[in-house]
Amino acid sequence: MTVQWQTRVPDAIDALVAVFTAALAGQDATVRDGASVSQARVTDLLSVGYTGTEENDVDAQAVGEGLAGSPDRETFTIRCAAACLRGGTDLPAARRRAYEIFGLASAAVAADRTLNRTVLRAMVDSHSLTQDQSDKGAQAVVVFNVSCDSYTRG
């Protein structure tokens, strides 16, 4: 069976995982592709296409481009999260580390706006911070959006 139309979302997620993994090499942080069932304790994390919140992990829309019918113009947002968990109560340190991971991810997108040629343009366009003290320690999470403009395949 030949697929006649296909979104670029899976390609962009794969590219973000690769770009973020390279950007965080040597940073003692883990990059995860979507939700994970790993039981490994991770203190510094960058999650692609999963934030653990009630929001959708990806929102997308496509519109017809010209009279040819295909490909369509597609825009989508991939939600990611930079998180840091500290065993103690040092919330400022957790917050700074979460923003450091977020900064490395943002710089990686800015350095390759096409995400290895999977999209026409990508950018980090917004972020939000949540922070908490729990029985596991201080935690800070920066949820951010990577917005993409592309053409569908087809």
Side-chain angles (χ1 to χ4, degrees):
M1 177 167 82
T2 303
V3 176
Q4 298 299 318
W5 185 97
Q6 189 172 5
T7 180
R8 294 286 183 162
V9 170
D11 299 332
I13 291 173
D14 291 347
L16 279 174
V17 170
V19 166
F20 290 163
T21 299
L24 288 163
Q27 289 292 318
D28 198 26
T30 301
V31 177
R32 288 202 174 143
D33 182 351
S36 174
V37 294
S38 172
Q39 296 299 314
R41 189 167 193 278
V42 176
T43 57
D44 296 340
L45 172 70
L46 180 56
S47 177
V48 180
Y50 179 75
T51 63
T53 66
E54 296 294 319
E55 284 189 286
N56 294 332
D57 297 321
V58 175
D59 287 317
Q61 60 185 350
V63 296
E65 184 77 7
L67 299 175
S70 189
D72 294 328
R73 191 66 174 257
E74 180 179 38
T75 57
F76 52 89
T77 300
I78 301 169
R79 288 187 184 76
C80 302
C84 177
L85 174 66
R86 290 293 176 254
T89 58
D90 192 352
L91 188 57
R95 181 176 52 244
R96 288 194 180 280
R97 179 61 174 152
Y99 269 104
E100 179 181 335
I101 295 167
F102 167 66
L104 290 167
S106 297
V109 172
D112 180 7
R113 297 260 186 217
T114 67
L115 302 178
N116 294 324
R117 298 182 181 177
T118 60
V119 299
L120 297 173
R121 183 167 174 81
M123 64 181 287
V124 174
D125 66 2
S126 65
H127 74 276
S128 61
L129 169 69
T130 57
Q131 46 192 2
D132 190 24
Q133 294 280 3
S134 73
D135 59 344
K136 295 179 182 171
Q139 178 177 337
V141 180
V142 179
V143 173
F144 62 98
N145 294 331
V146 178
S147 293
C148 300
D149 183 19
S150 185
Y151 283 106
T152 60
R153 276 194 249 160

Tab-separated table of all heavy atoms in Angstrom, residues 32-88:
chain	number	residue	atom	x	y	z
A	32	ARG	N	14.485	12.001	26.201
A	32	ARG	CA	13.500	10.934	26.012
A	32	ARG	C	12.559	11.292	24.876
A	32	ARG	O	12.124	12.425	24.747
A	32	ARG	CB	12.694	10.705	27.292
A	32	ARG	CG	13.520	10.022	28.366
A	32	ARG	CD	12.654	9.328	29.364
A	32	ARG	NE	13.476	8.572	30.296
A	32	ARG	CZ	13.219	8.452	31.576
A	32	ARG	NH1	12.146	9.023	32.086
A	32	ARG	NH2	13.998	7.744	32.353
A	33	ASP	N	12.230	10.279	24.104
A	33	ASP	CA	11.305	10.404	22.988
A	33	ASP	C	9.919	9.997	23.487
A	33	ASP	O	9.627	8.810	23.625
A	33	ASP	CB	11.766	9.498	21.842
A	33	ASP	CG	10.900	9.598	20.601
A	33	ASP	OD1	9.832	10.246	20.652
A	33	ASP	OD2	11.288	9.020	19.587
A	34	GLY	N	9.100	10.985	23.792
A	34	GLY	CA	7.747	10.711	24.276
A	34	GLY	C	7.743	10.190	25.703
A	34	GLY	O	8.719	10.309	26.434
A	35	ALA	N	6.615	9.616	26.079
A	35	ALA	CA	6.464	9.057	27.421
A	35	ALA	C	7.379	7.851	27.570
A	35	ALA	O	7.654	7.138	26.610
A	35	ALA	CB	5.013	8.653	27.657
A	36	SER	N	7.858	7.627	28.773
A	36	SER	CA	8.790	6.537	29.022
A	36	SER	C	8.256	5.626	30.118
A	36	SER	O	7.617	6.085	31.065
A	36	SER	CB	10.142	7.107	29.445
A	36	SER	OG	11.019	6.072	29.815
A	37	VAL	N	8.545	4.348	29.981
A	37	VAL	CA	8.183	3.395	31.026
A	37	VAL	C	9.416	2.988	31.828
A	37	VAL	O	9.352	2.117	32.675
A	37	VAL	CB	7.496	2.137	30.432
A	37	VAL	CG1	6.164	2.501	29.825
A	37	VAL	CG2	8.395	1.447	29.421
A	38	SER	N	10.531	3.647	31.566
A	38	SER	CA	11.771	3.344	32.271
A	38	SER	C	11.623	3.617	33.759
A	38	SER	O	11.013	4.601	34.172
A	38	SER	CB	12.913	4.194	31.718
A	38	SER	OG	14.068	4.037	32.501
A	39	GLN	N	12.179	2.743	34.550
A	39	GLN	CA	12.186	2.923	35.999
A	39	GLN	C	13.478	3.588	36.475
A	39	GLN	O	13.659	3.792	37.662
A	39	GLN	CB	12.012	1.561	36.689
A	39	GLN	CG	10.674	0.905	36.405
A	39	GLN	CD	9.498	1.742	36.892
A	39	GLN	OE1	9.508	2.251	37.998
A	39	GLN	NE2	8.495	1.899	36.047
A	40	ALA	N	14.357	3.915	35.535
A	40	ALA	CA	15.617	4.554	35.888
A	40	ALA	C	15.354	5.933	36.484
A	40	ALA	O	14.534	6.689	35.980
A	40	ALA	CB	16.504	4.678	34.658
A	41	ARG	N	16.049	6.235	37.579
A	41	ARG	CA	15.899	7.545	38.213
A	41	ARG	C	16.710	8.558	37.412
A	41	ARG	O	17.922	8.429	37.248
A	41	ARG	CB	16.391	7.504	39.648
A	41	ARG	CG	16.072	8.763	40.403
A	41	ARG	CD	16.293	8.538	41.894
A	41	ARG	NE	15.713	9.595	42.679
A	41	ARG	CZ	16.294	10.762	42.913
A	41	ARG	NH1	17.466	11.025	42.404
A	41	ARG	NH2	15.707	11.660	43.678
A	42	VAL	N	16.023	9.539	36.894
A	42	VAL	CA	16.660	10.581	36.093
A	42	VAL	C	16.441	11.903	36.801
A	42	VAL	O	15.323	12.224	37.198
A	42	VAL	CB	16.036	10.623	34.678
A	42	VAL	CG1	16.620	11.766	33.867
A	42	VAL	CG2	16.248	9.297	33.969
A	43	THR	N	17.516	12.672	36.980
A	43	THR	CA	17.377	13.962	37.653
A	43	THR	C	17.322	15.131	36.680
A	43	THR	O	16.721	16.149	36.982
A	43	THR	CB	18.520	14.187	38.656
A	43	THR	OG1	19.761	14.102	37.961
A	43	THR	CG2	18.472	13.148	39.767
A	44	ASP	N	17.948	15.002	35.522
A	44	ASP	CA	17.939	16.049	34.497
A	44	ASP	C	17.414	15.427	33.206
A	44	ASP	O	17.998	14.468	32.699
A	44	ASP	CB	19.341	16.615	34.271
A	44	ASP	CG	19.875	17.326	35.508
A	44	ASP	OD1	19.073	17.711	36.376
A	44	ASP	OD2	21.102	17.500	35.605
A	45	LEU	N	16.333	15.998	32.694
A	45	LEU	CA	15.614	15.354	31.605
A	45	LEU	C	15.145	16.360	30.571
A	45	LEU	O	14.723	17.468	30.919
A	45	LEU	CB	14.392	14.630	32.190
A	45	LEU	CG	13.381	14.029	31.229
A	45	LEU	CD1	13.967	12.836	30.511
A	45	LEU	CD2	12.121	13.629	31.985
A	46	LEU	N	15.196	15.948	29.313
A	46	LEU	CA	14.575	16.700	28.223
A	46	LEU	C	13.674	15.722	27.488
A	46	LEU	O	14.132	14.742	26.921
A	46	LEU	CB	15.632	17.276	27.277
A	46	LEU	CG	15.119	18.074	26.093
A	46	LEU	CD1	14.229	19.233	26.544
A	46	LEU	CD2	16.269	18.600	25.271
A	47	SER	N	12.385	15.988	27.544
A	47	SER	CA	11.397	15.113	26.945
A	47	SER	C	10.849	15.746	25.674
A	47	SER	O	10.455	16.910	25.678
A	47	SER	CB	10.264	14.869	27.944
A	47	SER	OG	9.250	14.091	27.373
A	48	VAL	N	10.795	14.975	24.587
A	48	VAL	CA	10.329	15.456	23.289
A	48	VAL	C	8.961	14.847	23.001
A	48	VAL	O	8.799	13.629	23.022
A	48	VAL	CB	11.313	15.066	22.169
A	48	VAL	CG1	10.814	15.580	20.826
A	48	VAL	CG2	12.708	15.582	22.471
A	49	GLY	N	7.982	15.699	22.740
A	49	GLY	CA	6.655	15.203	22.414
A	49	GLY	C	5.917	14.620	23.596
A	49	GLY	O	5.007	13.807	23.427
A	50	TYR	N	6.273	15.039	24.799
A	50	TYR	CA	5.569	14.596	26.006
A	50	TYR	C	5.921	15.550	27.144
A	50	TYR	O	7.096	15.821	27.382
A	50	TYR	CB	5.973	13.175	26.392
A	50	TYR	CG	5.288	12.688	27.637
A	50	TYR	CD1	3.951	12.317	27.614
A	50	TYR	CD2	5.970	12.611	28.845
A	50	TYR	CE1	3.302	11.891	28.759
A	50	TYR	CE2	5.339	12.176	29.994
A	50	TYR	CZ	4.007	11.811	29.956
A	50	TYR	OH	3.364	11.387	31.090
A	51	THR	N	4.904	16.049	27.819
A	51	THR	CA	5.156	16.961	28.934
A	51	THR	C	4.617	16.441	30.260
A	51	THR	O	4.916	16.999	31.301
A	51	THR	CB	4.525	18.340	28.673
A	51	THR	OG1	3.101	18.181	28.592
A	51	THR	CG2	5.073	18.966	27.401
A	52	GLY	N	3.784	15.408	30.219
A	52	GLY	CA	3.183	14.893	31.443
A	52	GLY	C	2.020	15.730	31.930
A	52	GLY	O	1.525	15.529	33.027
A	53	THR	N	1.582	16.682	31.131
A	53	THR	CA	0.459	17.533	31.507
A	53	THR	C	-0.785	17.103	30.735
A	53	THR	O	-0.750	16.173	29.930
A	53	THR	CB	0.756	19.012	31.190
A	53	THR	OG1	0.854	19.181	29.777
A	53	THR	CG2	2.041	19.480	31.857
A	54	GLU	N	-1.864	17.805	30.960
A	54	GLU	CA	-3.121	17.507	30.279
A	54	GLU	C	-3.156	18.029	28.836
A	54	GLU	O	-4.047	17.694	28.082
A	54	GLU	CB	-4.299	18.112	31.060
A	54	GLU	CG	-4.480	17.506	32.442
A	54	GLU	CD	-4.882	16.040	32.385
A	54	GLU	OE1	-5.715	15.678	31.533
A	54	GLU	OE2	-4.348	15.254	33.185
A	55	GLU	N	-2.187	18.855	28.468
A	55	GLU	CA	-2.145	19.395	27.112
A	55	GLU	C	-1.810	18.302	26.101
A	55	GLU	O	-1.150	17.310	26.432
A	55	GLU	CB	-1.069	20.478	26.998
A	55	GLU	CG	-1.445	21.798	27.601
A	55	GLU	CD	-0.420	22.842	27.238
A	55	GLU	OE1	0.676	22.798	27.797
A	55	GLU	OE2	-0.744	23.700	26.392
A	56	ASN	N	-2.242	18.510	24.859
A	56	ASN	CA	-1.829	17.607	23.787
A	56	ASN	C	-0.319	17.688	23.634
A	56	ASN	O	0.282	18.737	23.868
A	56	ASN	CB	-2.478	18.018	22.462
A	56	ASN	CG	-3.972	17.851	22.478
A	56	ASN	OD1	-4.514	17.019	23.188
A	56	ASN	ND2	-4.654	18.655	21.687
A	57	ASP	N	0.282	16.604	23.208
A	57	ASP	CA	1.719	16.596	22.981
A	57	ASP	C	2.081	17.244	21.654
A	57	ASP	O	3.165	17.794	21.499
A	57	ASP	CB	2.251	15.164	23.056
A	57	ASP	CG	2.032	14.578	24.449
A	57	ASP	OD1	2.209	15.313	25.438
A	57	ASP	OD2	1.676	13.398	24.536
A	58	VAL	N	1.161	17.179	20.690
A	58	VAL	CA	1.333	17.822	19.392
A	58	VAL	C	-0.017	18.366	18.952
A	58	VAL	O	-1.038	17.697	19.108
A	58	VAL	CB	1.848	16.838	18.315
A	58	VAL	CG1	1.913	17.503	16.947
A	58	VAL	CG2	3.205	16.267	18.692
A	59	ASP	N	-0.019	19.565	18.411
A	59	ASP	CA	-1.192	20.141	17.745
A	59	ASP	C	-0.766	20.460	16.326
A	59	ASP	O	0.313	21.017	16.110
A	59	ASP	CB	-1.666	21.430	18.437
A	59	ASP	CG	-2.353	21.155	19.754
A	59	ASP	OD1	-3.166	20.219	19.817
A	59	ASP	OD2	-2.074	21.885	20.728
A	60	ALA	N	-1.620	20.113	15.356
A	60	ALA	CA	-1.259	20.348	13.959
A	60	ALA	C	-2.474	20.769	13.149
A	60	ALA	O	-3.614	20.453	13.511
A	60	ALA	CB	-0.665	19.075	13.360
A	61	GLN	N	-2.186	21.461	12.069
A	61	GLN	CA	-3.233	21.799	11.110
A	61	GLN	C	-2.601	21.905	9.731
A	61	GLN	O	-1.433	22.246	9.588
A	61	GLN	CB	-3.944	23.081	11.477
A	61	GLN	CG	-3.076	24.305	11.547
A	61	GLN	CD	-3.847	25.514	12.027
A	61	GLN	OE1	-5.060	25.490	12.145
A	61	GLN	NE2	-3.134	26.582	12.304
A	62	ALA	N	-3.396	21.575	8.721
A	62	ALA	CA	-2.930	21.653	7.338
A	62	ALA	C	-3.974	22.382	6.515
A	62	ALA	O	-5.171	22.305	6.798
A	62	ALA	CB	-2.694	20.250	6.774
A	63	VAL	N	-3.509	23.104	5.525
A	63	VAL	CA	-4.399	23.803	4.593
A	63	VAL	C	-3.889	23.556	3.182
A	63	VAL	O	-2.694	23.341	2.962
A	63	VAL	CB	-4.468	25.326	4.879
A	63	VAL	CG1	-5.071	25.596	6.241
A	63	VAL	CG2	-3.101	25.967	4.777
A	64	GLY	N	-4.807	23.579	2.239
A	64	GLY	CA	-4.421	23.398	0.842
A	64	GLY	C	-3.494	24.510	0.392
A	64	GLY	O	-3.664	25.664	0.763
A	65	GLU	N	-2.528	24.169	-0.390
A	65	GLU	CA	-1.540	25.138	-0.876
A	65	GLU	C	-1.642	25.198	-2.389
A	65	GLU	O	-1.262	24.259	-3.082
A	65	GLU	CB	-0.138	24.704	-0.439
A	65	GLU	CG	0.955	25.652	-0.796
A	65	GLU	CD	1.033	26.869	0.115
A	65	GLU	OE1	0.326	26.941	1.126
A	65	GLU	OE2	1.821	27.766	-0.200
A	66	GLY	N	-2.200	26.251	-2.893
A	66	GLY	CA	-2.309	26.406	-4.342
A	66	GLY	C	-3.379	25.518	-4.938
A	66	GLY	O	-4.225	24.963	-4.247
A	67	LEU	N	-3.311	25.333	-6.234
A	67	LEU	CA	-4.325	24.565	-6.946
A	67	LEU	C	-3.917	23.119	-7.202
A	67	LEU	O	-4.719	22.328	-7.674
A	67	LEU	CB	-4.635	25.247	-8.287
A	67	LEU	CG	-5.190	26.665	-8.173
A	67	LEU	CD1	-5.335	27.282	-9.552
A	67	LEU	CD2	-6.521	26.648	-7.444
A	68	ALA	N	-2.695	22.764	-6.896
A	68	ALA	CA	-2.207	21.422	-7.202
A	68	ALA	C	-2.849	20.349	-6.328
A	68	ALA	O	-2.911	19.198	-6.712
A	68	ALA	CB	-0.694	21.361	-7.060
A	69	GLY	N	-3.306	20.712	-5.150
A	69	GLY	CA	-3.943	19.735	-4.276
A	69	GLY	C	-2.995	19.060	-3.312
A	69	GLY	O	-3.396	18.679	-2.233
A	70	SER	N	-1.754	18.871	-3.682
A	70	SER	CA	-0.813	18.222	-2.793
A	70	SER	C	0.594	18.677	-3.191
A	70	SER	O	0.881	18.814	-4.386
A	70	SER	CB	-0.929	16.714	-2.920
A	70	SER	OG	-0.183	16.086	-1.923
A	71	PRO	N	1.502	18.929	-2.307
A	71	PRO	CA	1.366	18.786	-0.869
A	71	PRO	C	0.594	19.939	-0.239
A	71	PRO	O	0.415	20.990	-0.853
A	71	PRO	CB	2.810	18.795	-0.385
A	71	PRO	CG	3.539	19.637	-1.370
A	71	PRO	CD	2.845	19.401	-2.686
A	72	ASP	N	0.151	19.718	0.991
A	72	ASP	CA	-0.527	20.756	1.755
A	72	ASP	C	0.479	21.483	2.629
A	72	ASP	O	1.513	20.936	2.999
A	72	ASP	CB	-1.606	20.141	2.651
A	72	ASP	CG	-2.736	19.523	1.864
A	72	ASP	OD1	-3.042	20.035	0.770
A	72	ASP	OD2	-3.316	18.537	2.338
A	73	ARG	N	0.164	22.712	2.999
A	73	ARG	CA	0.977	23.463	3.949
A	73	ARG	C	0.550	23.033	5.336
A	73	ARG	O	-0.645	22.953	5.638
A	73	ARG	CB	0.764	24.963	3.748
A	73	ARG	CG	1.738	25.843	4.473
A	73	ARG	CD	3.158	25.643	3.896
A	73	ARG	NE	4.094	26.565	4.453
A	73	ARG	CZ	4.538	27.641	3.809
A	73	ARG	NH1	4.114	27.928	2.606
A	73	ARG	NH2	5.422	28.425	4.382
A	74	GLU	N	1.499	22.751	6.171
A	74	GLU	CA	1.210	22.214	7.493
A	74	GLU	C	1.949	23.019	8.558
A	74	GLU	O	3.121	23.348	8.385
A	74	GLU	CB	1.665	20.751	7.534
A	74	GLU	CG	1.447	20.051	8.829
A	74	GLU	CD	1.892	18.603	8.784
A	74	GLU	OE1	2.915	18.296	8.147
A	74	GLU	OE2	1.215	17.777	9.407
A	75	THR	N	1.268	23.344	9.624
A	75	THR	CA	1.907	23.940	10.793
A	75	THR	C	1.588	23.065	11.992
A	75	THR	O	0.489	22.525	12.102
A	75	THR	CB	1.422	25.380	11.051
A	75	THR	OG1	0.005	25.381	11.210
A	75	THR	CG2	1.820	26.308	9.909
A	76	PHE	N	2.560	22.915	12.857
A	76	PHE	CA	2.327	22.104	14.055
A	76	PHE	C	3.239	22.556	15.182
A	76	PHE	O	4.272	23.181	14.964
A	76	PHE	CB	2.480	20.605	13.773
A	76	PHE	CG	3.759	20.195	13.096
A	76	PHE	CD1	4.892	19.874	13.824
A	76	PHE	CD2	3.818	20.110	11.717
A	76	PHE	CE1	6.058	19.474	13.196
A	76	PHE	CE2	4.976	19.708	11.064
A	76	PHE	CZ	6.093	19.388	11.811
A	77	THR	N	2.798	22.220	16.382
A	77	THR	CA	3.545	22.540	17.592
A	77	THR	C	3.828	21.247	18.334
A	77	THR	O	2.910	20.475	18.617
A	77	THR	CB	2.742	23.492	18.496
A	77	THR	OG1	2.489	24.691	17.764
A	77	THR	CG2	3.504	23.823	19.765
A	78	ILE	N	5.092	21.019	18.649
A	78	ILE	CA	5.517	19.863	19.424
A	78	ILE	C	5.875	20.363	20.815
A	78	ILE	O	6.721	21.246	20.959
A	78	ILE	CB	6.730	19.165	18.777
A	78	ILE	CG1	6.385	18.719	17.358
A	78	ILE	CG2	7.194	17.992	19.638
A	78	ILE	CD1	7.586	18.272	16.543
A	79	ARG	N	5.221	19.813	21.816
A	79	ARG	CA	5.498	20.239	23.192
A	79	ARG	C	6.604	19.374	23.791
A	79	ARG	O	6.613	18.158	23.638
A	79	ARG	CB	4.232	20.168	24.025
A	79	ARG	CG	3.284	21.272	23.637
A	79	ARG	CD	2.063	21.379	24.523
A	79	ARG	NE	1.206	22.406	23.983
A	79	ARG	CZ	0.424	22.262	22.909
A	79	ARG	NH1	0.390	21.122	22.273
A	79	ARG	NH2	-0.315	23.259	22.485
A	80	CYS	N	7.509	20.045	24.470
A	80	CYS	CA	8.659	19.390	25.081
A	80	CYS	C	8.776	19.882	26.527
A	80	CYS	O	8.150	20.875	26.902
A	80	CYS	CB	9.932	19.741	24.318
A	80	CYS	SG	9.876	19.298	22.566
A	81	ALA	N	9.590	19.191	27.306
A	81	ALA	CA	9.783	19.598	28.695
A	81	ALA	C	11.233	19.401	29.113
A	81	ALA	O	11.824	18.351	28.845
A	81	ALA	CB	8.870	18.806	29.616
A	82	ALA	N	11.789	20.419	29.747
A	82	ALA	CA	13.108	20.350	30.358
A	82	ALA	C	12.871	20.312	31.867
A	82	ALA	O	12.252	21.224	32.420
A	82	ALA	CB	13.946	21.566	29.980
A	83	ALA	N	13.325	19.254	32.507
A	83	ALA	CA	13.016	19.069	33.926
A	83	ALA	C	14.270	18.778	34.726
A	83	ALA	O	15.214	18.161	34.237
A	83	ALA	CB	12.012	17.931	34.099
A	84	CYS	N	14.240	19.220	35.965
A	84	CYS	CA	15.335	18.966	36.887
A	84	CYS	C	14.755	18.623	38.257
A	84	CYS	O	13.875	19.323	38.761
A	84	CYS	CB	16.235	20.193	36.990
A	84	CYS	SG	17.567	19.969	38.173
A	85	LEU	N	15.237	17.554	38.833
A	85	LEU	CA	14.840	17.132	40.175
A	85	LEU	C	16.084	17.104	41.040
A	85	LEU	O	17.075	16.442	40.705
A	85	LEU	CB	14.188	15.745	40.132
A	85	LEU	CG	13.843	15.108	41.473
A	85	LEU	CD1	12.760	15.909	42.180
A	85	LEU	CD2	13.403	13.669	41.276
A	86	ARG	N	16.055	17.831	42.131
A	86	ARG	CA	17.158	17.850	43.084
A	86	ARG	C	16.703	17.165	44.368
A	86	ARG	O	15.584	17.381	44.833
A	86	ARG	CB	17.602	19.283	43.398
A	86	ARG	CG	18.293	19.955	42.243
A	86	ARG	CD	19.634	19.240	41.982
A	86	ARG	NE	20.325	19.767	40.831
A	86	ARG	CZ	20.420	19.132	39.663
A	86	ARG	NH1	19.818	17.987	39.474
A	86	ARG	NH2	21.105	19.647	38.675
A	87	GLY	N	17.558	16.352	44.927
A	87	GLY	CA	17.207	15.589	46.119
A	87	GLY	C	16.939	16.438	47.347
A	87	GLY	O	16.214	16.031	48.241
A	88	GLY	N	17.472	17.630	47.404
A	88	GLY	CA	17.278	18.507	48.550
A	88	GLY	C	16.179	19.519	48.293
A	88	GLY	O	15.295	19.312	47.463
